[in-house]
Amino acid sequence: MTSNTRVSSLVLSLIGLAVSVYLTVSHYSTGLLVCAESSVVDCATVTSSEQSELLGVPVALLGALFFLFLTALCLPWAWRRRELDWVRLGAVGVGVLFVVYLVAAEFVLIGKICLWCTVVHVVTLALAGVLVTGALRRGSL
């Protein structure tokens, strides 16, 4: 992997982790979620909806665990282990599928958009792009 891939993936993982931790803390605390509200944008409605939990676990917490895992996989030591390329790609693939579900839930089921959630979605898609492009350059795919 190029150093750009390594640095970009680590930075994106850390951004995703930070926003997911913020959303997790906000899930358990009232008044911490800062978000503009309009007829379409309403973070509070999205983050407190039925879809904000999966089997009783906040989706934000799952996101934080996901990004914690990817942060570990994007640290310098992990890039030296070529067999972890597929673990990174598999993890980010699951993340992209989850983003598709969450975006569909926002638009179809909830009818509102959470800007903080959108940041996590964009970071996940950007991370997927960086990792897939890096794997193609490295010849892992």
Side-chain angles (χ1 to χ4, degrees):
M1 290 288 162
T2 66
S3 70
N4 286 343
T5 298
R6 294 174 185 191
V7 171
S8 298
S9 64
L10 182 58
V11 169
L12 287 167
S13 296
L14 289 169
I15 292 169
L17 178 60
V19 176
S20 295
V21 166
Y22 170 67
L23 287 170
T24 301
V25 171
S26 296
H27 181 86
Y28 292 109
S29 306
T30 53
L32 284 181
L33 188 62
V34 177
C35 182
E37 290 187 23
S38 69
S39 60
V40 176
V41 176
D42 188 348
C43 297
T45 297
V46 173
T47 60
S48 63
S49 70
E50 183 180 324
Q51 290 74 31
S52 71
E53 293 188 357
L54 181 65
L55 301 173
V57 179
V59 170
L61 178 58
L62 296 175
L65 294 172
F66 168 76
F67 283 110
L68 182 63
F69 181 66
L70 274 170
T71 296
L73 289 175
C74 293
L75 290 171
W77 70 267
W79 285 108
R80 290 190 286 271
R81 301 199 50 202
R82 196 169 172 120
E83 64 272 13
L84 292 179
D85 289 355
W86 286 104
V87 177
R88 272 188 291 277
L89 291 170
V92 82
V94 170
V96 167
L97 291 175
F98 207 61
V99 163
V100 170
Y101 162 74
L102 292 171
V103 170
E106 282 183 296
F107 282 108
V108 177
L109 301 175
I110 305 166
K112 301 283 184 181
I113 297 171
C114 169
L115 295 178
W116 288 107
C117 304
T118 301
V119 169
V120 172
H121 302 158
V122 169
V123 166
T124 303
L125 296 176
L127 186 55
V130 165
L131 291 175
V132 169
T133 302
L136 288 170
R137 286 189 183 137
R138 186 173 179 175
S140 296
L141 291 178

